[in-house]
Amino acid sequence: MTITPAHDPWTDRLSEYVDGEMRPVDREALEHHLAGCPACSVALAELRSVVARAHALEDRAPADDLWPGIATAIAATPRRAPVARPPADWWRRRLDLTLPQLAAAALVVAALSAGTMWIALARSPLRAPAPGATAPVASSPAAASQQTAPAPASPTAVTAATADVVNPRYDRAVAELEQALADGRGRLDPRTLQVLEQNLRTIDRAIGEARRAVAADPANAWLRSHLATTMKRKVDLLRTAAMLTAGRG
Amino acid sequence: MAAAVSGVTMPSVDPDTVPAASDAIDVRLAAGGDARAYERIYRRHVPRIHGLARRMAGDDDAGDLTQMIFVRAWERLGSFRGDAAFGTWLYRLAINVILGRRAATRTERERRDHGEGVIEAIPARPARSEHRIDFDAAIGRLPPGARRVFVLHDIEGYKHEEIARMLRVTAGTSKAQLHRARMLMRAHLER
Ligand SMILES: [Zn+2]
């Protein structure tokens, strides 16, 4: 014989309680009820377990690789050319900070031959550019818009900025540093050398991707500043490496 | 001098801090037609998107839906504005595709179940499920309306007001469906 207990209306409100969505007066009443109702107390504990379990669920890739089907479909999908948007002002503002710093770094590096660079690095490390260059985006859109009057980016300005980022002089400077590093690599211990080369490959890949992205969307200020930041990271890395080499020499 | 430096090793570059192969870059490349970049995007996001599709629509449809979502996203990449995280944008698009298809192909069976709007009497104690299935799989057995709210609220973290807009129900219905789903899911807790 089974006795069906009368429906307990408080049971229906337990999720609200779990989620903290009850008015204080109702919450107090429910808590009072809970003290004398084991069924609700048990249900409450179980509901909390369900919520915790749901939060902890993990995603996994599908068993079948779905990419080939997608690749086929998108190959057949004509695409509109992406709409080039004028860069938001705050990005250009950030670029204003980044480009001169990058240019300065490139000039300093370019002015030194590999040999003098070596000595200079061994004695007093080149000052790292101001923190703003390496830190993630600092200025908020609101702050930037207060500081600068909005000026629509002209295509000319965009081209000039791109030209600054893709700077042959910078490339030559990096090439010199790389050459210097190649000459001095015998002075690095194998493990350090391995990590260094791995880091350089990672950054080179990033630079390559950033360059292709800039080429695909030259008007995108974010991409240009991203490229600038990535290139600067390479200079920083090469400098660190150079210091290590010099220190061991 | 050398001694001071000799113990120093190159710090390893944390892939997360190197802005390599990020969504921002790959989205731009893919928007320009680069399918390789889009494949990287796919690989990064497919576990989460497929999980969403599987839990919202069930195992049988999850693969098809996932493909539809990524094809739709490819078509729309040009409209992605870099001011939101790409993952958030993709996720929202995925929900729209899943819900849109459900509206288009809602079956008789689903209508018969009274999947939406109707809250059945809930037993005070859940019946122990006879065939023990895992918690995640059990989500797929929930009545459709309760299942969608459960996935969106308890797994994905949307608020009732947002869910109500997405599902075109009231916030009260969303809350009631959530409670119903949770009560049913108690039977599938690992004990
Ligand atoms: Zn009770």
Side-chain angles (χ1 to χ4, degrees):
Chain A
M1 191 173 96
T2 318
I3 297 166
T4 308
H7 183 67
D8 177 348
W10 284 112
T11 313
D12 295 339
R13 306 204 58 186
L14 291 173
S15 277
E16 271 179 85
Y17 182 71
V18 168
D19 295 335
E21 291 175 345
M22 265 184 161
R23 292 182 306 155
V25 57
D26 292 341
R27 196 174 58 228
E28 275 173 34
L30 175 57
E31 279 166 357
H32 183 74
H33 171 80
L34 281 169
C37 179
C40 278
S41 298
V42 170
L44 177 64
E46 288 173 337
L47 288 175
R48 287 198 164 123
S49 299
V50 166
V51 173
R53 188 74 183 76
H55 280 306
L57 283 174
E58 282 176 11
D59 291 322
R60 55 185 190 276
D64 300 328
D65 188 3
L66 303 172
W67 174 250
I70 295 167
T72 307
I74 66 177
T77 306
R79 266 279 280 302
R80 292 164 299 155
V83 185
R85 290 188 307 131
D89 213 46
W90 60 295
W91 284 120
R92 275 197 293 113
R93 186 160 171 75
R94 183 185 174 217
L95 201 65
D96 287 345
L97 294 174
T98 308
L99 283 177
Q101 282 161 351
L102 176 67
L107 283 176
V108 170
V109 173
L112 298 168
S113 73
T116 52
M117 183 82 178
W118 229 226
I119 292 161
L121 287 171
R123 298 238 165 97
S124 66
L126 288 176
R127 262 190 65 72
T134 42
V137 192
S139 57
S140 70
S145 62
Q146 281 162 7
Q147 288 162 12
T148 43
S154 71
T156 327
V158 166
T159 313
T162 309
D164 281 349
V165 173
V166 187
N167 186 336
R169 217 149 118 182
Y170 169 90
D171 290 345
R172 203 168 54 241
V174 166
E176 275 191 22
L177 262 178
E178 282 174 333
Q179 183 56 51
L181 192 61
D183 296 343
R185 55 183 282 146
R187 292 195 290 268
L188 289 174
D189 73 65
R191 202 166 69 87
T192 300
L193 190 62
Q194 191 187 6
V195 175
L196 169 66
E197 286 179 342
Q198 194 182 338
N199 290 351
L200 282 173
R201 274 197 299 276
T202 306
I203 289 184
D204 281 341
R205 197 173 59 236
I207 290 175
E209 284 166 356
R211 281 200 161 134
R212 283 196 296 136
V214 168
D217 186 8
N220 190 315
W222 187 89
L223 289 176
R224 294 200 313 275
S225 72
H226 169 82
L227 174 57
T229 307
T230 314
M231 289 166 80
K232 205 190 73 55
R233 285 202 58 162
K234 180 162 181 174
V235 172
D236 292 345
L237 180 63
L238 286 170
R239 280 180 186 155
T240 311
M243 274 190 282
L244 289 176
T245 325
R248 289 185 76 83
Chain B
M1 202 63 224
V5 191
S6 60
V8 179
T9 49
M10 285 297 299
S12 181
V13 174
D14 178 354
D16 291 339
T17 65
V18 174
S22 66
D23 280 342
I25 298 299
D26 283 336
V27 165
R28 270 299 139 207
L29 296 175
D34 184 337
R36 301 274 310 170
Y38 195 59
E39 182 176 355
R40 290 195 292 269
I41 293 173
Y42 165 82
R43 303 266 171 228
R44 278 197 290 274
H45 293 277
V46 70
R48 189 157 178 237
I49 296 296
H50 187 261
L52 174 73
R54 179 166 49 80
R55 293 177 190 126
M56 290 278 275
D59 267 331
D60 292 348
D61 291 339
D64 281 355
L65 272 171
T66 301
Q67 289 183 322
M68 283 173 62
I69 289 161
F70 278 97
V71 172
R72 181 80 60 85
W74 165 266
E75 292 166 358
R76 302 265 170 98
L77 273 183
S79 72
F80 168 66
R81 294 152 45 92
D83 45 11
F86 176 75
T88 308
W89 178 86
L90 177 65
Y91 207 71
R92 200 54 191 255
L93 181 144
I95 290 173
N96 288 339
V97 170
I98 293 167
L99 296 179
R101 207 191 51 158
R102 151 197 160 243
T105 66
R106 186 189 302 206
T107 61
E108 274 305 313
R109 186 185 57 76
E110 187 171 326
R111 287 203 199 90
R112 269 204 317 274
D113 298 340
H114 302 293
E116 272 110 337
V118 179
I119 307 299
E120 290 157 12
I122 296 159
R125 297 300 311 271
R128 203 61 70 89
S129 55
E130 288 172 18
H131 310 286
R132 288 192 49 124
I133 54 169
D134 120 289
F135 186 89
D136 202 344
I139 296 168
R141 308 274 184 95
L142 288 171
R147 183 173 70 220
R148 281 186 283 268
V149 175
F150 182 71
V151 171
L152 293 174
H153 189 283
D154 278 1
I155 301 177
E156 306 303 340
Y158 287 94
K159 306 233 176 301
H160 284 298
E161 290 69 24
E162 298 170 294
I163 295 167
R165 273 198 300 278
M166 287 189 254
L167 298 181
R168 303 213 170 95
V169 297
T170 64
T173 300
S174 178
K175 285 181 187 180
Q177 293 282 30
L178 177 65
H179 182 64
R180 179 191 187 199
R182 286 175 178 173
M183 293 296 273
L184 293 168
M185 287 304 292
R186 290 182 298 159
H188 304 285
L189 287 168
E190 291 82 356
R191 289 165 217 247

